Amino acid sequence: MILVTGATGHVGAELVTRLAAEGVQVRAMTRRPEATRFARGVEVVEGDCEAPESLRKAFEGVEGAFLMTSQATGSAKLHTAVQVDAAKAAGVRYVVKLSVARGGEEGHPLVAAWHREDEGAVTESGIDFTMLRPGRFMSNTLGWKHMLARGDTVYVPFARKATTPIAPEDIAAVAAEALTTDRFKNEVLELSGAEVLTPEQELAIVGEILNRELTLEEPSVEATIDGIARSGMDRGLAAAMVEHVLQGSYGAEIWPTVERVLGRKPMTFQQWAGKHFKEEA
Ligand SMILES: NC(=O)c1ccc[n+]([C@@H]2O[C@H](COP(=O)([O-])OP(=O)(O)OC[C@H]3O[C@@H](n4cnc5c(N)ncnc54)[C@H](OP(=O)(O)O)[C@@H]3O)[C@@H](O)[C@H]2O)c1
C-alpha cells in the first residue's frame, strides 16, 4: 500500500490518479474526505498534520508514502516531522518527500534554514527516501483564472523573475517512479521544466491560447509583502520570502532530471497551459 498525503493538491491528485491507473494499491489522505472524489479503487483516509494522532490510521499498513502539505514556510511545528513520526511508528520503509528547489542550500537565511530543517526531518529519520526539489509549479498560474473570469487585467507578482516552471504532472510521474522502483533510494532529485520563462511570458502564452489581449500589472514589492502578510504570515518572514524569491538565479536552473527519470522531455508551458486553460477559450 502506498499513502499519498496532500492527495487533493496539484501534485498529489496527479500522483493518486497515476498510481491507481498503474494498478498500485493507493491510499489518499485529505482533511476533507467527504468533499473529494478519487479514481475507483483508491482508499480515502482522513488525516490532518495539525492533529498528529489522526495520522496513525493513515500510515497503518503502508510500505511507501509521498509526503507533502502546503504548510506556510516558517511555520513553527513542521508537518513533515509529524508525518515522519507517523511513518516511523507504522514501520513505513520508504518515503518520497516534496521539497523545494535547492532545499535550503541557498537563498534568504531565514527561509533556507526552514527548508533545511524540513528536509532534515526526512533525511535524518533513518527511513529510505527520495527528495524531490522542484522549482516553480506551472499550476501557480491557475490563480489567474479568477481574474480572467472578470476581465483582461491580471496582477502577477514577480512578473519578470525568470524560472524554469515544471508541470505538476511531471513531478507526479517522477514521484510515482521513485515510489514503485528502487532507482532513486536516498537520492536528491533537483527538478525543472525544460525552458526558462518569466510569469510575463507565461501570461503571453495563456493570452494566445485564449485568443485574448491580456494586460499584466505587477504589484510593487511592498504590496506583495503586504499581501503575504495579510494571509497570516509574520511581516518579517513575508519580506524574507519575497527577497528569497527575487534574489539570484534561484529556481532558474534547467535540470535534466525529468528526462533522466522518465525517458522523455518535460511538458512545456504551452502544452500544460493548453490542457488547463483550454476550457476558458
Ligand atoms: N507552488 C510552487 O511553485 C512550489 C514550488 C516548489 C515546491 N512547492 C511545494 O509544494 C507544496 C505546496 O504546493 P501547493 O501550494 O501548490 O499546494 P497544493 O497542491 O494546493 O496542495 C495542498 C495540499 O496540502 C494538504 N494540506 C494542507 N494542510 C494540511 C494539513 N494540515 N494536514 C494535511 N494535509 C494538508 C491539502 O490537503 P486537504 O485535502 O486536506 O486540503 C492539499 O492536498 C509545498 O510543500 C511547497 O513547498 C511548491
Side-chain angles (χ1 to χ4, degrees):
M1 173 71 76
I2 287 179
L3 173 71
V4 177
T5 68
T8 60
H10 296 109
V11 177
E14 293 287 343
L15 179 58
V16 168
T17 305
R18 175 172 282 269
L19 290 173
E22 288 173 4
V24 176
Q25 267 196 308
V26 54
R27 185 181 291 162
M29 188 178 103
T30 170
R31 291 165 299 175
R32 312 158 282 144
E34 68 294 338
T36 317
R37 287 179 72 104
F38 293 101
R40 256 178 88 142
V42 172
E43 201 182 295
V44 184
V45 68
E46 187 169 349
D48 182 346
C49 297
E50 294 293 324
E53 67 288 354
S54 72
L55 266 53
R56 198 155 49 86
K57 194 155 160 250
F59 281 81
E60 211 166 66
V62 163
E63 267 180 52
F66 175 73
L67 306 184
M68 74 82 64
T69 77
S70 54
Q71 183 177 41
T73 304
S75 301
K77 197 166 189 305
L78 280 179
H79 284 177
T80 307
V82 172
Q83 292 178 338
V84 166
D85 284 348
K88 272 183 166 169
V92 172
R93 300 206 341 251
Y94 186 63
V95 296
V96 174
K97 156 77 181 157
L98 182 66
S99 182
V100 295
R102 311 304 289 157
E105 286 175 8
E106 61 181 88
H108 190 285
L110 270 182
V111 178
W114 190 84
H115 285 300
R116 284 198 301 275
E117 198 185 331
D118 190 48
E119 286 199 351
V122 170
T123 55
E124 288 158 27
S125 68
I127 304 177
D128 282 330
F129 67 88
T130 304
M131 191 64 67
L132 305 184
R133 290 179 169 179
R136 204 167 61 81
F137 295 178
M138 291 181 184
S139 50
N140 292 359
T141 62
L142 295 173
W144 298 343
K145 281 196 174 186
H146 72 279
M147 293 180 267
L148 292 169
R150 289 200 304 259
D152 292 328
T153 301
V154 180
Y155 292 85
V156 184
F158 316 121
R160 286 159 192 102
K161 169 73 186 179
T163 63
T164 45
I166 181 165
E169 287 89 334
D170 284 342
I171 305 171
V174 171
E177 191 66 17
L179 283 162
T180 56
T181 71
D182 278 345
R183 288 175 67 197
F184 306 107
K185 262 206 177 124
N186 303 321
E187 269 195 55
V188 174
L189 303 180
E190 301 280 354
L191 300 173
S192 73
E195 56 193 345
V196 177
L197 283 176
T198 63
E200 183 177 38
Q201 290 168 317
E202 291 175 324
L203 187 68
I205 293 171
V206 170
E208 280 165 26
I209 289 167
L210 302 180
N211 197 21
R212 282 168 59 180
E213 287 274 329
L214 301 176
T215 304
L216 182 143
E217 292 274 351
E218 182 174 9
S220 68
V221 168
E222 278 303 300
T224 303
I225 295 170
D226 287 346
I228 299 174
R230 268 199 303 278
S231 73
M233 188 180 280
D234 166 81
R235 203 172 190 289
L237 191 57
M241 285 284 292
V242 169
E243 200 181 317
H244 182 78
V245 171
L246 287 176
Q247 69 184 218
S249 60
Y250 173 74
E253 302 95 332
I254 292 181
W255 301 96
T257 324
V258 168
E259 193 164 358
R260 171 164 81 89
V261 175
L262 303 177
R264 63 159 175 81
K265 300 233 176 284
M267 285 175 91
T268 63
F269 184 75
Q270 175 89 42
Q271 289 166 334
W272 180 89
K275 178 173 156 199
H276 292 275
F277 282 88
K278 214 168 39 194
E279 67 268 25
E280 305 275 337

